[in-house]
């Protein structure tokens, strides 16, 4: 192995030369891995064992696939010795001497810092009682060895570490190498940051982490990204993909054996996805920015927080062509900026995924929406009426709805167009028709991405790509998320309902039918219609939704010059100004509703206000014990907290003295009883439902949590501890001025946030008004006195419930102001704008 770094100082004749390096990893209380200077690529590494001392061995997992091998636990004080060195040395410069070597290992003295005046690590360990001295083979004349022996005698005398009484059993970790149900485990953490030590870096984006304080050892994949990996070959060797070693080094040098916090975000297919928090920055973002990782669609989709940030980091790496992107070419690289992004007016909606826009120059251009696929005819020819012409717009399910959605939102309006890619023309191939070149773009209006709106209504689907395919929407993740919502909510194409049918009588071009139809239309007087096609300045095709027919319509009293057309007599040349006339009419009426009836909706009457009174703010301290999935919560009154504590204490003492006979109690609904919780302790409870003796639903009356338990874990409540002695201690409340989101995911986000903020903490609570099931309250953090509910509104996690009571108006106004700022910052539920407003109506969310 290459040397870490050359001899640093002129060594004296007898002492071994001094060398230097940075500590990469602590293997145990007596061995470290030291890294030298990088020489283009990851730097050389060496393992150094501390000579003259011995520290305990750390736990080892049984070798996989070898049934006779067993897990080996920590030796006493081994983990403490490792931790002592880890905290002292990781990432630090050390210098060391190598006293002797054998095959793979080098043994020597290690000092913190640049020279031997620094802390002698072996001495520190021995002083702390974390290592013993190897006295065998010592010669009397070595002052360093003599000093170690003295230090050991001192640490023995003061009973430190290994020399303390009791054998150190409490220093042995109970490591959990496997988790039975990782998904439940991840869910139960509610995305709370957990303290952890990164124990191993498998590749740039996959680590082994030791979760504290319970010592779960888990493999965590960084959410949203993937680094190049080491491919395992059949013969057991590993072949690195390009930049795999560099990416691993990048992560290793920042995170290996560091104290971090981890948010475990989700667990698809037993893989735990998470984000690592470190004060120096966000490794996920850094890896992307440096071109060590790429975004991964599936993992990105489970992770809504900051997905745009990750894409932006990746984009920046691509633009700079760093590392894995060294050969990258942007899909719009050969377009001018002005052709890449522009404002244009929508003149016509073509099918359900394209539109004709008029540019500033007056030119017309057809734009396709990026990454979406319009409703398709799934090849169902079965019920097709042979007599009727096939009209895709009306006959393909949801095509008309999609077109109408676009037409109503866009026609005649200015939109922002950002070209994402140009799809090259494809020639006709075997079974595939020819497609002309397509300009594919993200089209927004008032900040709303129209493709996303379409997808979230189930009126289009999202195209899936190969991971490396860049020819896609610049807002691809949002499209996927919108599609997931549309599927979940059963919208449009994803609906289980019968597809809407549009039977149209096409009487355009059929003189006879038209004649029969005319009196009918005349009697109707004014009709609504949409201009579907402009043949010439005065000749139109109309769709009449009420009458469900297509007609040809001539503007009475005028005739415009005709354009060129085929007639039985041959090609007729266009009359002068025919094109100009046609364009004129097109701009005015194409796809417009020519006779639209607007009726203003009456404004809602203001609800009668209750009599005037002042809001009463009388905050009392409570301890929040439980948050439910519907955003209700349970809290204990802090004033009676000590009574509960003493009741529990005496109750448990009594139960311990006279344990209940297991199985002697048969629970009935409504009973108060005692129940043994997962922590092995007894608590007061109420029976809510008895499914079977093995499945009894209980509610812990003093804490507000529920559980399904076997009746063997229940017993009658000793009378001295009934609710007559001390009433039920957990009271149910919900947040005032807040609407709980109906959308499951959005609700889970708020619940996670509230659990993180206030579960098991002391807060201040004020009842604002009563509700159907429980009082509605505002709650303040115990320390900062900030309003928790207002915080949720500020974060855009919930909507304001606008109360009309006069005495609450000041509060309501404050809540509404915060809602406005969350909206303009596009936070969380507002990330697609105000989805309640008309433009984004039913944006996949429901109130
Ligand atoms: C050197 O350190 C390694 C890692 O802790 C350990 O397994 C090994 O036993 C040590 N060697 C000696 C001779 O102490
Ligand atoms: C990365 O971490 C920073 C700071 O903790 C945070 O603000 C940011 O949102 C994180 N980014 C992602 C993509 O999670
Ligand atoms: C187009 O984008 C600009 C800048 O983002 C914005 O100010 C403008 O309102 C947008 N126009 C439309 C029609 O959405």
């Amino acid at each position: 192995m290459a040397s870490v770094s050359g001899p640093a100082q002129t060594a004296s004749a007898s002492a071994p030369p001094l060398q230097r390096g940075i500590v990469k990893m602590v293997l145990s209380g007596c061995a470290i891995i030291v890294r030298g200077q990088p020489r283009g690529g990851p730097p050389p590494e060496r393992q150094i064992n501390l000579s003259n001392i011995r520290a305990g061995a750390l736990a080892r997992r049984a070798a996989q696939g070898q049934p006779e091998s067993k897990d080996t636990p920590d030796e006493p004080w081994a983990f403490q010795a490792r931790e002592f060195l880890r905290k002292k040395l990781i990432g630090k410069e050390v210098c060391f001497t190598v006293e002797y070597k054998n095959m793979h290992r080098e043994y020597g003295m290690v000092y913190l810092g640049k020279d031997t005046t620094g802390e002698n690590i072996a001495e520190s360990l021995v002083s702390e009682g974390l290592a013993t001295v190897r006295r065998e083979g010592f010669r009397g004349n070595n002052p360093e060895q003599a000093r170690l022996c003295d230090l050991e005698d001192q640490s023995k005398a003061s009973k430190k570490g290994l020399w303390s009484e009791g054998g150190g059993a409490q220093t042995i970790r109970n490591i959990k190498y496997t988790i039975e149900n990782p998904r439940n485990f991840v869910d139960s953490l509610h995305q709370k940051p957990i303290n952890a030590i990164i124990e191993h870096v498998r590749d740039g984006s996959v680590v082994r982490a030791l979760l504290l304080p319970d010592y779960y050892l888990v493999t965590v994949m960084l959410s949203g990204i993937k680094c190049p990996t080491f491919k395992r070959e059949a013969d057991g060797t590993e072949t690195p993909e390009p930049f795999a070693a560099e990416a691993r080094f990048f992560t290793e040098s920042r995170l290996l054996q560091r104290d971090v916090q981890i948010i475990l975000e989700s667990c698809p297919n037993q893989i735990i996805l998470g984000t690592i928090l470190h004060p120096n920055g966000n490794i996920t973002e850094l890896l992307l920015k440096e071109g060590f990782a790429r975004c991964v669609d599936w993992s990105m989709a489970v992770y809504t927080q900051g997905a745009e940030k990750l894409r932006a980091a990746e984009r920046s790496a691509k633009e700079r062509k760093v590392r894995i992107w060294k050969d990258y070419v942007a899909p719009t690289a050969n377009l001018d900026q002005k052709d890449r992004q522009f404002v244009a007016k929508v003149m016509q909606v073509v099918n359900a995924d394209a539109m004709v826009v008029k540019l500033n120059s007056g030119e017309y251009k057809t734009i396709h929406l990026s990454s979406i696929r319009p409703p398709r005819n799934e090849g169902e020819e079965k019920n097709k009426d042979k007599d009727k012409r096939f009209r895709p717009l009306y006959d393909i399910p949801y095509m008309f709805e999609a077109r109408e959605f676009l037409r109503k939102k866009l026609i005649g309006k200015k939109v922002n167009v950002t070209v994402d890619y140009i799809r090259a023309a494809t020639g006709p191939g075997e079974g595939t028709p020819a497609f002309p070149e397509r300009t594919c773009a993200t089209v927004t209006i008032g900040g709303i991405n129209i493709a996303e709106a379409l997808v979230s209504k189930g009126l289009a689907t999202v195209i899936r790509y190969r991971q490396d395919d860049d020819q896609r929407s610049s807002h691809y993740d949002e499209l996927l998320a919108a599609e997931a919502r549309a599927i979940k909510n059963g919208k449009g194409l994803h609906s289980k309902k019968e597809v809407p049918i549009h039977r149209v009588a096409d009487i355009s071009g059929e003189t006879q039918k038209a004649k029969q139809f005319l009196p009918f239309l005349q009697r109707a007087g004014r009709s609504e219609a949409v201009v579907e096609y402009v043949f010439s300045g005065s000749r139109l095709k109309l769709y009449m939704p009420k009458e469900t027919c297509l007609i040809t319509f001539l503007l009475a009293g005028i005739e415009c010059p005709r354009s060129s057309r085929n007639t039985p007599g041959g090609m007729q040349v266009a009359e002068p100004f025919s094109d100009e006339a046609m364009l004129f009419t097109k701009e005015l009426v194409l796809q417009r509703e020519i006779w639209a009836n607007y009726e203003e909706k009456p404004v809602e009457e203001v609800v009668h206000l209750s009599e005037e009174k002042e809001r009463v703010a009388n905050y009392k301290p409570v301890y929040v014990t439980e948050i439910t999935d519907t955003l209700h919560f349970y809290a204990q009154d802090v004033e009676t907290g000590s009574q509960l504590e003493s009741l529990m204490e005496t109750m448990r003492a009594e139960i311990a003295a006279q344990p209940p006979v297991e199985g002697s109690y048969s629970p009935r609904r409504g009973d108060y009883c005692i129940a043994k919780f997962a922590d092995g302790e007894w608590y007061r409870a109420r029976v809510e439902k008895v499914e079977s003796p093995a499945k009894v639903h209980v509610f812990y009356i003093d804490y507000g949590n529920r559980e399904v338990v076997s009746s063997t874990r229940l017993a009658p409540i000793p009378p001295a501890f009934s609710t007559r002695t001390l009433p039920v201690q957990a009271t149910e409340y919900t947040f005032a001025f807040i609407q709980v989101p109906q959308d499951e995911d959005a609700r889970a986000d708020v619940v996670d946030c509230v659990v993180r903020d206030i579960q098991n903490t002391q807060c201040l609570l004020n009842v604002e008004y009563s509700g159907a099931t429980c009082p509605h309250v505002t709650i303040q953090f115990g320390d900062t006195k900030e309003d928790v509910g207002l915080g949720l509104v500020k974060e855009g996690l919930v909507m304001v419930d606008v109360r009309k009571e006069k005495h609450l108006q000041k509060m309501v106004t404050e809540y509404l102001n915060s809602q406005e700022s969350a909206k303009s910052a596009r936070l969380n539920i507002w990330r697609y704008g105000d989805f309640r407003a008309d433009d984004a109506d039913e944006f996949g969310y429901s109130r």
Side-chain angles (χ1 to χ4, degrees):
M1 188 181 270
S3 85
V4 166
S5 69
Q9 291 171 351
T10 31
S12 71
S14 60
L18 197 60
Q19 308 184 43
R20 292 197 192 124
I22 303 287
V23 178
K24 168 191 164 177
M25 189 176 179
V26 173
L27 294 173
S28 70
C30 63
I32 57 178
I33 292 181
V34 174
R35 194 152 57 204
Q37 289 298 323
R39 301 202 189 92
E45 294 172 357
R46 284 158 79 172
Q47 175 176 335
I48 311 293
N49 278 37
L50 296 170
S51 52
N52 300 326
I53 65 163
R54 187 185 175 282
L58 290 167
R60 285 176 85 112
R61 193 179 181 185
Q64 301 301 291
Q66 291 177 26
E68 72 283 4
S69 113
K70 283 210 180 74
D71 292 348
T72 323
D74 288 328
E75 286 179 13
W77 297 95
F79 183 61
Q80 286 64 28
R82 198 288 298 250
E83 287 295 273
F84 179 79
L85 290 193
R86 185 179 70 82
K87 296 208 163 104
K88 204 180 271 301
L89 298 180
I90 283 296
K92 300 274 172 58
E93 180 170 30
V94 292
C95 61
F96 55 95
T97 58
V98 174
E99 293 171 358
Y100 58 100
K101 299 182 187 187
N102 62 20
M103 291 267 286
H104 308 289
R105 295 198 180 125
E106 299 176 287
Y107 297 82
M109 304 286 266
V110 176
Y111 305 85
L112 194 55
K114 285 187 189 315
D115 56 48
T116 54
T117 61
E119 182 177 338
N120 179 320
I121 299 306
E123 288 180 4
S124 302
L125 281 161
V126 170
S127 305
E128 294 297 323
L130 295 172
T132 55
V133 180
R134 292 177 191 270
R135 300 190 184 221
E136 64 275 9
F138 274 16
R139 298 201 196 93
N141 61 358
N142 183 329
E144 278 161 7
Q145 293 173 347
R147 187 166 153 71
L148 280 175
C149 293
D150 282 352
L151 289 170
E152 182 170 53
D153 292 342
Q154 285 170 28
S155 117
K156 264 187 204 168
S158 47
K159 295 193 161 59
K160 281 191 167 172
L162 286 157
W163 313 111
S164 61
E165 275 149 25
Q170 80 285 0
T171 66
I172 298 171
R173 293 169 295 167
N174 172 15
I175 302 185
K176 288 94 172 174
Y177 294 103
T178 53
I179 297 174
E180 203 162 305
N181 187 333
R183 172 169 296 198
N184 280 359
F185 178 74
V186 168
D187 288 349
S188 74
L189 297 172
H190 291 283
Q191 316 224 334
K192 247 187 236 184
I194 310 173
N195 293 329
I197 303 167
I198 303 299
E199 294 287 356
H200 175 70
V201 176
R202 186 187 298 168
D203 62 49
S205 55
V206 178
V207 300
R208 284 286 270 176
L210 184 67
L211 305 184
L212 303 176
D214 295 326
Y215 303 122
Y216 285 98
L217 195 57
V218 295
T219 300
V220 179
M221 203 177 262
L222 293 177
S223 302
I225 66 162
K226 188 169 196 304
C227 289
T229 59
F230 298 82
K231 286 229 153 45
R232 192 172 279 279
E233 308 292 342
D235 64 0
T237 60
E238 287 186 333
T239 313
E241 291 173 354
F243 297 102
E246 290 85 346
R248 179 167 67 188
F249 175 66
F250 188 85
T251 300
E252 226 170 46
S253 58
R254 285 162 179 77
L255 293 183
L256 183 61
Q257 289 198 339
R258 307 298 164 117
D259 291 306
V260 298
Q261 290 199 310
I262 299 190
I263 299 176
L264 301 185
E265 274 147 336
S266 90
C267 186
N269 304 323
Q270 313 273 327
I271 299 168
I272 298 181
L273 293 175
T275 295
I276 299 177
L277 308 176
H278 188 275
N280 289 356
N282 189 323
I283 195 77
T284 310
E285 263 180 74
L286 287 175
L287 285 165
L288 285 169
K289 206 173 283 168
E290 295 298 326
F292 282 122
R294 62 187 71 233
C295 292
V296 176
D297 298 337
W298 65 267
S299 151
M300 205 83 154
V302 298
Y303 166 85
T304 47
Q305 209 74 31
E308 305 98 273
K309 255 195 210 157
L310 297 188
R311 291 283 184 198
E314 186 191 64
R315 213 160 29 246
S316 141
K318 284 174 171 173
E319 278 163 14
R320 289 175 291 125
K321 296 183 193 284
V322 286
R323 306 210 167 85
I324 60 173
W325 307 113
K326 61 184 170 26
D327 300 322
Y328 178 77
V329 183
T332 54
N334 44 17
L335 287 185
D336 275 359
Q337 179 56 31
K338 70 169 180 20
D339 297 326
R340 222 178 288 167
Q341 197 161 14
F342 49 87
V343 174
K345 188 172 169 186
V346 178
M347 305 311 296
Q348 186 190 352
V349 172
V350 187
N351 295 330
D353 66 336
M355 62 196 74
V356 177
V357 298
K358 186 175 177 184
L359 308 178
N360 268 345
S361 62
E363 224 180 302
Y364 282 53
K365 189 173 177 66
T366 302
I367 301 284
H368 281 80
L369 295 175
S370 302
S371 297
I372 67 163
R373 184 172 279 141
R376 282 191 296 190
N377 203 26
E378 300 299 345
E380 288 167 29
E381 301 287 307
K382 44 185 191 229
N383 295 328
K384 231 172 93 184
D385 191 339
K386 289 278 176 330
D387 297 338
K388 261 181 24 189
R389 270 186 284 169
F390 182 67
R391 305 189 161 276
L393 183 61
Y394 307 102
D395 293 340
I396 295 178
Y398 293 103
M399 178 76 107
F400 184 72
E401 281 73 13
R403 202 288 304 260
E404 282 297 275
F405 175 77
L406 293 183
R407 189 182 65 76
K408 287 189 172 145
K409 293 278 181 273
L410 300 181
I411 205 78
K413 305 249 177 74
K414 286 217 161 122
V415 292
N416 276 337
V417 178
T418 308
V419 176
D420 295 320
Y421 55 101
I422 309 277
R423 213 182 69 180
T426 52
E430 222 174 289
T432 55
F435 284 111
E437 181 184 277
R438 284 182 168 185
T439 300
C440 299
T442 295
V443 176
T444 62
I445 179 159
I448 302 276
N449 178 352
I450 207 74
E452 190 184 340
L454 208 53
V455 169
S456 70
K457 294 172 83 70
L459 297 175
T461 54
V462 180
I463 298 173
R464 296 302 194 277
Y465 298 99
R466 276 186 301 108
Q467 188 59 49
D468 285 344
D469 191 345
D470 240 14
Q471 306 264 327
R472 56 164 92 183
S473 164
S474 46
H475 291 74
Y476 189 65
D477 298 310
E478 285 103 302
L479 295 183
L480 288 179
E483 184 170 65
R485 262 196 330 274
I487 292 171
K488 197 179 78 185
N489 299 333
K491 298 271 184 191
L493 292 161
H494 313 290
S495 153
K496 302 271 178 295
K497 290 188 226 143
E498 287 276 297
V499 301
I501 290 173
H502 305 281
R503 289 184 208 292
V504 291
D506 189 354
I507 48 182
S508 61
E510 303 205 26
T511 323
Q512 203 50 40
K513 271 197 194 157
K515 273 190 182 141
Q516 287 166 11
F517 217 70
L518 186 62
F520 176 71
L521 287 179
Q522 281 171 328
R523 268 200 306 281
R526 229 161 101 127
S527 300
E528 282 177 29
V530 177
V531 179
E532 289 289 10
Y533 197 78
V534 175
F535 298 104
S536 78
S538 57
R539 189 182 169 88
L540 314 173
K541 178 143 101 178
L542 303 185
Y543 171 66
M544 310 187 65
K546 291 229 178 78
E547 295 77 7
T548 61
C549 64
L550 282 167
I551 61 172
T552 302
F553 185 87
L554 304 179
L555 296 179
I558 62 166
E559 190 177 340
C560 292
R562 293 180 156 209
S563 26
S564 62
R565 66 211 147 96
N566 263 322
T567 63
M571 188 72 177
Q572 298 266 316
V573 183
E575 295 170 13
F577 295 103
S578 63
D579 285 349
E580 288 81 349
M582 183 167 84
L583 263 182
F584 180 83
T585 303
K586 255 192 180 170
E587 292 207 3
L588 282 178
V589 301
L590 181 58
Q591 291 189 339
R592 310 295 174 103
E593 296 162 24
I594 25 187
W595 297 298
N597 264 341
Y598 287 111
E599 240 177 79
E600 290 270 313
K601 287 220 177 85
V603 178
E604 200 183 313
E605 286 270 316
V606 175
V607 172
H608 238 54
L609 299 178
S610 55
E611 79 282 19
E612 228 167 293
K613 54 179 173 158
E614 286 290 306
R615 167 174 179 259
V616 182
N618 191 2
Y619 285 89
K620 64 168 184 188
V622 295
Y623 189 79
V624 179
T625 52
E626 179 70 15
I627 318 281
T628 73
D629 291 343
T630 53
L631 210 59
H632 284 214
F633 61 91
Y634 289 88
Q636 299 170 343
D637 196 334
V638 165
E639 273 161 26
T640 56
S642 58
Q643 293 176 40
L644 176 64
E645 263 169 46
S646 71
L647 174 129
M648 300 271 271
E649 213 168 286
T650 43
M651 184 178 85
R652 285 170 186 170
E654 183 165 307
I655 297 168
Q658 267 189 320
V661 181
E662 195 176 283
S664 66
Y665 173 63
S666 54
R668 280 173 325 175
R669 187 168 163 254
D671 277 2
Y672 285 102
C673 62
I674 52 173
K676 202 188 227 174
F677 187 60
D679 62 1
E681 296 282 7
W682 292 92
Y683 293 87
R684 304 197 303 172
R686 194 178 62 231
V687 177
E688 291 197 317
K689 188 174 162 191
V690 183
E691 273 185 63
S692 70
K695 279 190 169 176
V696 184
H697 297 239
V698 297
F699 171 68
Y700 290 94
I701 59 175
D702 299 319
Y703 290 87
N705 51 322
R706 294 181 157 81
E707 207 184 8
V708 181
V709 299
S710 155
S711 64
T712 58
R713 273 172 50 192
L714 302 176
I717 191 163
F721 308 108
S722 74
T723 52
R724 242 172 279 150
T725 312
L726 182 72
V728 169
Q729 288 296 291
T731 312
E732 184 179 359
Y733 301 101
T734 191
F735 287 93
F737 312 119
I738 275 180
Q739 295 183 33
V740 179
Q742 307 248 296
D743 177 80
E744 243 172 72
D745 293 342
R747 200 169 61 222
D749 288 347
V750 198
V751 171
D752 281 347
C753 179
V754 173
V755 168
R756 280 200 298 273
D757 284 351
I758 61 168
Q759 181 152 307
N760 299 333
T761 66
Q762 188 169 321
C763 298
L764 296 164
L765 174 147
N766 185 49
V767 175
E768 302 292 341
Y769 48 90
S770 56
T773 55
C774 64
H776 287 57
V777 302
T778 49
I779 189 158
Q780 298 178 341
F781 289 109
D783 45 7
T784 61
K785 309 277 183 295
E786 278 168 22
D787 185 328
V788 176
L790 187 63
L792 300 175
V793 175
K794 278 187 186 151
E795 285 293 311
L797 290 164
V798 292
M799 272 188 276
V800 176
D801 185 15
V802 182
R803 300 290 299 188
K804 306 279 196 218
E805 293 94 326
K806 208 165 205 168
H807 68 284
L808 298 176
Q809 287 319 294
K810 214 170 136 211
M811 282 299 264
V812 170
T813 309
E814 195 182 349
Y815 270 61
L816 283 175
N817 288 344
S818 297
Q819 176 164 292
E820 281 314 307
S821 54
K823 234 189 257 185
S824 45
R826 293 286 169 92
L827 297 177
N828 291 303
I829 59 174
W830 308 110
R831 57 186 175 268
Y832 306 118
D834 186 348
F835 48 83
R836 297 169 305 171
D838 171 60
D839 258 355
D841 192 21
E842 283 181 61
F843 218 100
Y845 282 103
S846 47
R847 297 182 62 169

